Amino acid sequence: MNPEPASGRTPAGGGAALLRQEFRAAWGSGVGAVLAVLISAAAALAGPLLVRHFVDRATAGTTAAVLAGTAVAYLLAALVGTGGRIGSGYLAARTGWQIADRLRERLFQRLVVEEPVLEVERRQTGEVLEQIDGNSDIVGRAVSESVFPMIGNLVVAAGILVVMLVTVPAAGLGLAVLAVGLFAGFSRISRWAVSRWETARLQQARLFGFLGDALAARSDVQPLNGTAWVVQQADHRLNALFAVERRAYLAGRTFWPATQLFFAISFALVLGAGLNRMGSGGLTIGTLAMLYLYVDLLQEPLEQVSSQADELQQMAAVLGLSARTLAESPMGAGARTSARFPEGSPGIAFEHVTFGYGDETVLHDVTFDVPAGTSLGIVGPTGAGKSTVVNLICGLAAPASGLVRIGGVDVTTLTEAELARHLTVLSQGAHLFAASVRENITLFDDSVPAEQVLAVLERLDAAGWVNALPGGLDTRVGAGGRGLSEGEIQVLAGARALLRPCGLLVIDEGTSRLDPQTERVWSRVVEAVMPGRTVVMVAHRTSTLAQVDQILVLENGRVDVSATGNTAEILSSRAGATS
């Protein structure tokens, strides 16, 4: 996905401006839908006029041929109207989902791609998905099912009012005043309803986030007898959401009784004025029939507008929320320039680095140096700041003070794309997708030939078991590596690292609690990927640390030991450093 250009930022004007901006991406089908709606509305308005012509000519004693011609014209108008409705329905659906897909792409770009990784990981997955996909679906459905039909209904209603003003001016003027008052009231109610729908959408996103967390933690929750708490929390959140949605829904539906009252008044005014003028000879039977048909025709648009109000209010709420999301600058935006990553295996230097999350300082004045082409093992107790050091090297965070340099270049000046091309990470917790073995190793890069993938697996002594799989490299594995052992997952993670000729390698061992077989596999993977690179390793086992050139011991966010030499002696001098 290409990053959104600067001109793609949401302009001032909120949801309405965002809808106009997204409509440009579906300009062709959108204009076609509007034209089809207008044709359908024109055909609907033509029907009563043709009936008046037919009745007046019949009462005047015209020929059968004239009447037959009028009847044929009526049928043609009906056919054109039907065709217009079919065409507008198709084009409206196409436009709606083009707009939804475009909005979905932009929200994904903003909330997942542009947002710093640490900030993305802080948020609940279900909440982010609902903000992206749930909100986009609401917009697409509303555009396809309500926006274009609303245009047609308003055109029909306006046309009928114009006919009334011309034919029975007093009644028409009264209806026009009533219509203005009706829609003014509807606008005020809608503003209130939209604010309620915004609250409801935020609550629903948080609900989906909670449910996603509950599902992910089910294997921990059930043995600990926490299911009742999860159900109680879900019930509480659902009740709160229902209360907000009910108020928003009722606000939108208040328009329905008003439209019914408007129709009843319209019927009485128009037919009363029509009969009065007919009695005085100022109106023909055909014109009275036309007025009746127009009043009857007015009922359907009014009822549809009232039923569409709820969907349109939800769309307005979602567009407002999405516009604010897109207008926000990502955390840390503007800090990176177009600096180039150093060639080869660059050195790493921390220069008086201090970093914190919120008010909590995690690293205090940390300084160390990793010469080019050498390796560093980082150890320390839980919470010492080991993962934070890795995050700073990978450009996932920026220091509050001090500098992190790679090959002399400030990491904060390197774009994420530049870092991704020259730095690779090997983790025991590597994620596998629900895809083939080959796709998981190449990360869906079809340009990498199978021979190259197999050569990498040969270096890891893993080509045999991969070829023995039912489909070889094309064998599909489950999400998270279901169907594979821990050791096999780590082999595939190592193959990823070997496949990318990056000069800088970060290894996150994750845990020291490995069974003997998996430990042997992991050690073989680490030994295979380290040569020829600058390596920073967060390690927990002495056997792995024996392969590094120097040791950095962190404690309470400070450098406790930074030394080269015998790993076992260094660690034994710092009891508990690897706990």
Side-chain angles (χ1 to χ4, degrees):
M1 185 184 303
N2 294 325
E4 185 67 33
S7 59
R9 287 289 177 200
T10 303
L18 177 59
L19 183 60
R20 288 194 302 270
Q21 195 176 70
E22 300 306 322
F23 183 78
R24 296 192 192 107
W27 177 257
S29 57
V31 171
V34 171
L35 291 176
V37 163
L38 294 177
I39 290 171
S40 177
L45 291 170
L49 287 170
L50 291 170
V51 169
R52 181 184 69 171
H53 185 271
F54 184 92
V55 172
D56 286 344
R57 291 299 180 272
T59 54
T62 191
T63 64
V66 173
L67 296 178
T70 305
V72 169
Y74 184 87
L75 290 174
L76 287 174
L79 287 173
V80 170
T82 301
R85 285 190 294 274
I86 294 173
S88 66
Y90 167 76
L91 292 171
R94 182 173 176 177
T95 303
W97 295 114
Q98 283 179 332
I99 289 173
D101 288 343
R102 166 72 173 164
L103 180 61
R104 185 178 290 110
E105 178 181 339
R106 290 186 63 190
L107 288 171
F108 181 86
Q109 177 79 20
R110 171 62 188 85
L111 292 173
V112 178
V113 178
E114 294 180 0
E115 197 71 18
V117 173
L118 296 181
E119 185 65 19
V120 175
E121 291 179 346
R122 184 185 64 81
R123 302 188 61 192
Q124 295 171 308
T125 302
E127 181 181 359
V128 176
L129 288 175
E130 184 63 13
Q131 279 189 282
I132 296 171
D133 201 55
N135 287 352
S136 300
D137 279 347
I138 287 175
V139 172
R141 188 169 56 251
V143 170
S144 61
E145 298 178 3
S146 296
V147 170
F148 290 102
M150 173 74 82
I151 293 172
N153 290 329
L154 292 177
V155 169
V156 169
I160 291 172
L161 285 176
V162 169
V163 172
M164 299 300 178
L165 283 168
V166 173
T167 310
V168 278
L173 183 61
L175 290 179
V177 172
L178 283 175
V180 170
L182 179 69
F183 282 97
F186 174 65
S187 297
R188 295 192 61 180
I189 292 172
S190 291
R191 284 194 293 272
W192 186 86
V194 166
S195 67
R196 295 298 182 273
W197 279 120
E198 287 186 355
T199 303
R201 290 303 303 160
L202 292 172
Q203 287 191 4
Q204 188 164 31
R206 286 192 286 268
L207 171 64
F208 275 90
F210 171 78
L211 293 177
D213 282 354
L215 288 172
R218 66 189 183 280
S219 59
D220 296 323
V221 170
Q222 289 178 353
L224 296 173
N225 199 28
T227 305
W229 177 84
V230 172
V231 173
Q232 182 183 23
Q233 285 295 309
D235 181 66
H236 172 74
R237 292 165 187 258
L238 282 168
N239 286 333
L241 176 63
F242 173 74
V244 176
E245 286 190 337
R246 179 179 58 190
R247 289 194 294 270
Y249 176 81
L250 290 176
R253 300 307 291 180
T254 55
F255 191 57
W256 183 82
T259 60
Q260 298 307 299
L261 179 62
F262 180 81
F263 173 74
I265 294 174
S266 301
F267 194 87
L269 279 176
V270 172
L271 287 187
L275 288 170
N276 181 57
R277 288 194 61 189
M278 185 178 171
S280 62
L283 210 66
T284 65
I285 296 175
T287 302
L288 183 63
M290 178 192 71
L291 292 175
Y292 171 80
L293 290 174
Y294 273 134
V295 172
D296 186 62
L297 181 63
L298 185 63
Q299 184 176 18
E300 184 177 357
L302 289 174
E303 289 182 345
Q304 288 183 358
V305 167
S306 65
S307 65
Q308 292 158 355
D310 178 64
E311 205 165 50
L312 292 171
Q313 289 162 358
Q314 287 190 58
M315 182 187 74
V318 164
L319 287 171
L321 291 171
S322 299
R324 289 197 289 275
T325 297
L326 293 170
E328 292 173 355
S329 296
M331 294 184 64
R336 302 186 184 275
T337 62
S338 57
R340 298 298 299 274
F341 196 96
E343 296 297 329
S345 302
I348 299 172
F350 272 54
E351 302 174 2
H352 303 288
V353 171
T354 297
F355 178 82
Y357 299 98
D359 296 330
E360 180 186 2
T361 301
V362 179
L363 295 180
H364 304 265
D365 195 30
V366 171
T367 297
F368 64 87
D369 182 70
V370 185
T374 66
S375 55
L376 170 72
I378 304 176
V379 297
T382 301
K386 303 184 296 294
S387 296
T388 301
V389 169
V390 169
N391 290 334
L392 291 168
I393 293 173
C394 294
L396 303 181
S401 62
L403 288 174
V404 178
R405 298 184 187 273
I406 297 179
V409 178
D410 183 355
V411 171
T412 61
T413 65
L414 295 168
T415 65
E416 292 179 358
E418 186 73 4
L419 280 165
R421 281 193 295 270
H422 295 88
L423 181 153
T424 191
V425 177
L426 174 61
S427 172
Q428 284 182 345
H431 178 81
L432 294 188
F433 297 91
S436 71
V437 171
R438 177 179 176 176
E439 288 169 332
N440 272 290
I441 294 174
T442 64
L443 290 178
F444 305 94
D445 185 355
D446 295 332
S447 66
V448 180
E451 294 77 12
Q452 185 177 350
V453 177
L454 288 172
V456 166
L457 291 171
E458 287 281 2
R459 292 177 60 185
L460 296 171
D461 295 328
W465 73 259
V466 170
N467 285 326
L469 293 172
L473 285 174
D474 294 324
T475 302
R476 291 186 65 82
V477 299
R482 290 187 184 91
L484 299 179
S485 68
E486 287 295 325
E488 289 168 341
I489 292 173
Q490 289 170 13
V491 166
L492 298 187
R496 284 179 184 171
L498 279 174
L499 201 60
R500 303 181 69 234
C502 299
L504 179 57
L505 172 66
V506 175
I507 301 176
D508 185 3
E509 197 168 66
T511 179
S512 61
R513 296 185 293 275
L514 299 177
D515 63 79
Q517 181 179 357
T518 304
E519 181 173 348
R520 286 194 296 272
V521 172
W522 175 251
S523 296
R524 187 167 66 247
V525 169
V526 170
E527 185 179 353
V529 300
M530 285 181 63
R533 310 182 195 225
T534 301
V535 179
V536 174
M537 178 193 305
V538 174
H540 293 268
R541 296 175 301 111
T542 304
S543 60
T544 304
L545 289 168
Q547 303 180 54
V548 302
D549 299 312
Q550 60 175 313
I551 298 292
L552 179 73
V553 180
L554 291 176
E555 190 155 0
N556 296 322
R558 302 178 188 276
V559 176
D560 194 48
V561 173
S562 179
T564 59
N566 185 283
T567 300
E569 292 179 0
I570 296 172
L571 295 180
S572 64
S573 69
R574 301 299 308 162
T578 57
S579 62

